[in-house]
């Protein structure tokens, strides 16, 4: 299969041209800070070695030392062999001297995670495309790179949306015409099915089925319309052979379609993958980050044909796990949610979990909130999440929180104090919410007993939710209050006065409510 059609080549070239001088954005994607830190770590070591007087007069030994570090720092960041690096430094120090600055780069510090978070925000929380990688204020230590990896591994959704915003802004793309907007939380009646059991050393295999293949075909027609209107399509996918954490219908991974063409007679969509190292088509010169989806035979997947779809590596210990075996740099993806970008407006959310909710998980509540607002082309973006162990801390007293008798009234002193503390610094997440961003906190109990309260101090939009009572629609409902919505008497509405009484599987936002949300100071365009 020749993926290099003139149209796809041109689309990749113009995609890259949006980031002049800064290819790391699309080459490193969601692992930007991890890989940039390793680059900087190796660069710093190289300079130290070159400046070592005794080593620099012996070029073969200098090159040998540089190559040693280059080899050790390649490969998976969590597997970098610290012991053998320290052994080498022990050998080199008596011979050449001056190894202390290099040694310091392999010592963990207490700010590793905060330093990684700060670099992450510097690149992704701004609206523009940085002209080149910014200099980080912190040392490029191995521990910082590893902390960055732990932080970034779950950031495919966020990085996709943040990067899309930058690219769309630079291209000057406004809201899409109604006929091109897609917000399908389960495209074509998608469902998850077990397709093959585990066998020998191979894992089982799951596939996405489509109960309504005609709706899938209609959705791909809209994808083409969205691309023709200069938009992108955010695709939620099943990645590899298995749905590892079984949170279906919440997508396992996310990729962004930005062009379409016909490849080998097949309807094809070109995408960028935030997990860039997993999408590379060896036969093209596009490099890391780019892949192709095929829409055919009631499927929307990276498989070229049935044989390609069947031949996926199921050895979970292999580096190629989940890749198409006939072109092992291509990871297998099957699409089941679609969302066109840009959306009309975005509301940003910071989630603080003082007590994990019992009746529905934070992920479930967030997924519902994203879905119900997305159905009206409004984006809910979780900018940070912090899980806080309050035992023995000054936050412990808020676990039983007095919220007052009037939900529409002024916040109680306790609520005001909690919101101020949660905003005071970014806490563990390191992300400090700005004035028009929402802070939502889950605490053990509200007094008097209730699901939630959206009363908050002025200029500090936020809500508190009861971890024991809040259900799957509570978060979406409270976001509505914060954006200016009042209660509805209709049990089909998201803003029905009791979220526990909502009868619809996907409650509605009325047209006038959508207008109110869009006019709210929380709605960022
Ligand atoms: Zn309410």
């Amino acid at each position: 299969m020749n993926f290099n059609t003139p149209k796809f080549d041109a689309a990749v070239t113009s995609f890259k041209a949006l980031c002049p001088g800064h290819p790391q954005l699309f080459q490193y994607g969601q692992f930007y800070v991890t890989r940039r830190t390793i680059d900087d770590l190796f660069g710093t070591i190289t300079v130290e070695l070159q400046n070592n007087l005794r080593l620099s007069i012996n070029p073969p030994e200098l090159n040998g030392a540089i190559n040693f570090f280059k080899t050790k720092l390649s490969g998976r960041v969590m597997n970098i062999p610290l012991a053998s690096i320290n052994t080498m430094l022990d050998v080199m120090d008596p011979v050449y001297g001056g190894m202390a600055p290099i040694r310091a780069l392999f010592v963990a510090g207490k700010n590793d995670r905060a330093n990684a978070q700060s670099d992450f925000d510097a690149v992704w929380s701004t609206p523009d495309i940085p002209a080149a990688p910014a200099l980080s204020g912190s040392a490029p230590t191995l521990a910082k790179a590893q902390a960055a990896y732990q932080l970034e591994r779950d950031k495919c959704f966020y990085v996709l949306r943040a990067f899309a915003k930058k690219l769309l802004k630079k291209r000057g793309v406004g809201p899409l015409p109604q006929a091109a907007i897609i917000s399908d939380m389960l495209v074509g009646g998608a469902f998850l099915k077990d397709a093959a059991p585990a066998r020998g050393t191979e894992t089982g295999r799951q596939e996405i089925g489509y109960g309504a293949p005609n709706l899938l075909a209609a959705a791909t027609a809209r994808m083409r319309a969205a691309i023709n209107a200069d938009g992108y399509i955010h695709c939620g996918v099943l990645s590899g052979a298995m749905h590892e954490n079984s949170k279906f219908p919440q997508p396992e991974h996310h990729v962004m379609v930005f062009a379409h063409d016909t490849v080998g007679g097949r309807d094809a969509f070109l995408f960028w993958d935030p997990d860039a190292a997993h999408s590379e088509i060896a036969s093209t010169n596009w490099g890391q980050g780019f892949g192709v989806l095929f829409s055919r035979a009631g499927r929307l997947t990276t498989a070229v044909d049935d044989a390609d779809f069947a031949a996926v590596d199921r050895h979970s210990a292999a580096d190629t796990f989940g890749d198409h075996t006939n072109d092992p740099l291509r990871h297998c993806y099957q699409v089941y949610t679609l969302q066109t970008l840009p959306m009309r407006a975005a509301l940003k959310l910071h989630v603080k979990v003082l007590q994990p909710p019992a009746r529905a998980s934070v992920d479930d509540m967030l997924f519902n909130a994203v879905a119900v607002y997305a159905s009206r082309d409004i984006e809910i973006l979780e900018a940070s999440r912090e899980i806080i162990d309050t035992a023995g801390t000054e936050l412990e007293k808020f676990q039983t929180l007095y919220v007052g008798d009037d939900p529409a009234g002024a916040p109680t002193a306790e609520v005001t104090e909690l919101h101020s503390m949660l905003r005071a610094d970014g806490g563990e997440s390191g992300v400090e919410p700005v004035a028009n961003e929402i802070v939502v906190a889950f605490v053990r109990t509200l007094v008097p007993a209730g699901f939630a309260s959206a009363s908050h101090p002025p200029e500090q939009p936020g809500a508190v939710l009861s971890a024991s009572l809040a259900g799957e629609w509570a978060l979406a409902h409270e976001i509505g209050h914060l954006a200016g919505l009042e209660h509805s008497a209709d049990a089909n509405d998201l803003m029905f006065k009791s979220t526990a009484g909502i009868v619809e599987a996907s409650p509605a936002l009325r047209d006038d409510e959508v207008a109110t949300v869009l006019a709210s100071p929380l709605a960022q365009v």
Side-chain angles (χ1 to χ4, degrees):
M1 179 65 62
N2 175 23
F3 294 85
N4 281 98
T5 68
K7 200 168 170 185
F8 276 179
D9 282 346
V12 170
T13 302
S14 17
F15 190 96
K16 292 178 174 176
L18 292 167
C19 310
H22 204 168
Q24 292 89 344
L25 286 170
F26 54 82
Q27 284 171 351
Y28 295 174
Q30 75 185 87
F31 294 106
Y32 182 95
V33 179
T34 306
R35 294 178 66 179
R36 274 271 297 139
T37 303
I38 293 293
D39 287 351
D40 285 354
L41 173 59
F42 177 64
T44 305
I45 291 170
T46 303
V47 169
E48 282 292 333
L49 295 173
Q50 286 166 341
N51 290 343
N52 183 300
L53 292 177
R54 276 181 258 174
L55 196 51
S56 60
I57 56 168
N58 189 335
E61 290 194 19
L62 173 63
N63 289 335
I66 291 174
N67 278 332
F68 169 84
F69 285 101
K70 185 173 195 171
T71 306
K72 294 299 174 192
L73 295 177
S74 63
R76 295 183 177 210
V77 69
M78 300 311 287
N79 296 343
I80 288 173
L82 187 55
S84 88
I85 288 171
N86 280 325
T87 303
M88 177 57 101
L89 290 169
D90 289 345
V91 170
M92 290 174 74
D93 226 350
V95 183
Y96 306 110
M99 292 296 139
I102 296 180
R103 228 180 256 284
L105 296 170
F106 293 95
V107 177
K110 67 176 168 55
N111 295 323
D112 296 327
R113 195 184 184 286
N115 291 340
Q117 179 77 55
S118 155
D119 284 11
F120 183 86
D121 294 333
V123 63
W124 297 120
S125 69
T126 57
D128 295 306
I129 295 173
L135 286 174
S136 173
S138 56
T141 64
L142 176 61
K144 177 184 159 189
Q146 292 180 331
Y149 177 80
Q150 301 287 7
L151 169 81
E152 291 181 313
R153 55 190 302 182
D154 298 326
K155 290 288 191 280
C156 48
F157 182 106
Y158 184 80
V159 167
L160 186 156
R161 291 288 176 94
F163 194 27
K165 274 190 173 42
K166 290 177 192 287
L167 296 168
L168 290 163
K169 177 169 189 267
K170 183 154 183 184
R171 293 169 56 221
V173 179
L176 300 180
Q178 195 60 40
I181 293 173
I182 319 172
S183 184
D184 284 357
M185 279 299 145
L186 279 175
V187 63
F191 59 92
L192 186 67
K193 60 180 180 182
D194 288 321
R199 179 182 66 191
T201 58
E202 295 185 328
T203 68
R205 176 184 169 113
Q206 290 174 314
E207 287 176 11
I208 298 301
Y210 300 94
N214 56 321
L215 294 181
L216 177 65
T220 54
R222 281 198 167 212
M223 288 173 73
R224 289 191 290 274
I227 290 163
N228 291 339
D230 291 330
Y232 296 139
I233 304 108
H234 177 161
C235 303
V237 301
L238 185 149
S239 166
M242 288 286 290
H243 203 272
E244 283 167 34
N245 43 16
S246 287
K247 284 185 184 170
F248 187 89
Q250 295 167 33
E252 200 177 26
H253 186 57
H254 306 268
V255 301
M256 186 176 86
V257 162
F258 64 96
H260 76 86
D261 198 5
T262 301
V263 173
R266 299 170 166 96
D267 198 20
F269 294 94
L270 179 64
F271 67 83
W272 176 74
D273 185 350
D275 189 1
H278 273 101
S279 284
E280 180 174 5
I281 302 177
S283 61
T284 70
N285 57 358
W286 300 338
Q288 292 193 343
F290 300 97
V292 174
L293 293 166
F294 292 91
S295 158
R296 61 182 297 275
R299 281 204 300 260
L300 183 56
T301 75
T302 44
V304 172
D305 53 25
D306 288 354
D308 197 28
F309 188 58
V312 172
D313 188 339
R314 287 159 57 189
H315 296 90
S316 58
D319 280 345
T320 51
F321 177 53
D323 291 351
H324 291 287
T325 51
N326 81 26
D327 195 346
L329 298 175
R330 243 173 356 116
H331 203 65
C332 176
Y333 293 126
Q334 304 174 56
V335 177
Y336 56 94
T337 73
L338 293 174
Q339 175 66 54
T340 44
L341 302 173
M343 298 168 81
R344 282 191 285 186
L347 279 69
K348 280 195 182 175
L349 192 67
H350 299 265
V351 178
K352 308 285 184 182
V353 185
L354 283 67
Q355 175 78 23
R359 293 186 51 216
S361 70
V362 175
D363 283 332
D364 290 344
M365 287 191 220
L366 185 69
F367 181 74
N368 283 349
V370 168
V372 68
Y373 288 91
S375 71
R376 305 308 302 268
D377 210 30
I378 296 167
E379 177 175 15
I380 302 294
L381 192 57
E382 184 187 41
S384 75
R385 186 185 305 186
E386 187 181 6
I387 314 290
I388 304 171
D389 180 3
T390 62
T393 74
E394 51 186 346
L395 288 171
E396 175 67 25
K397 66 180 177 188
F398 299 109
Q399 289 284 20
T400 300
L401 185 63
Y402 178 64
V403 294
D405 294 314
D406 179 7
T412 61
E414 292 86 341
V415 168
T416 296
E417 189 185 356
L418 174 61
H419 279 297
S420 304
M421 284 179 69
L422 291 175
R423 279 180 183 268
D425 62 53
E428 186 69 14
S429 76
V431 183
E432 204 165 326
V434 300
N436 63 346
E437 296 176 355
I438 297 168
V439 172
V440 171
F442 290 89
V443 301
R444 202 172 296 140
T445 316
L446 303 182
V447 179
F451 298 94
S453 167
S455 69
H456 58 82
E459 311 299 317
Q460 298 188 345
V464 289
L465 282 83
S466 162
S468 52
L469 294 179
E472 58 175 337
W473 290 106
L475 178 61
H477 178 97
E478 295 311 312
I479 292 171
H481 281 313
L482 294 169
L485 303 186
E486 291 174 2
H487 280 156
S488 149
D490 185 340
N492 295 315
D493 285 350
L494 175 65
M495 297 315 292
F496 185 56
K497 59 185 185 296
S498 159
T499 53
I502 291 173
V503 295
E504 282 289 296
S506 50
L509 280 167
R510 298 190 317 263
D511 290 350
D512 62 308
E513 291 175 326
V514 172
T516 301
V517 173
L518 290 173
S520 148
L522 304 184
Q524 304 175 32
V525 183

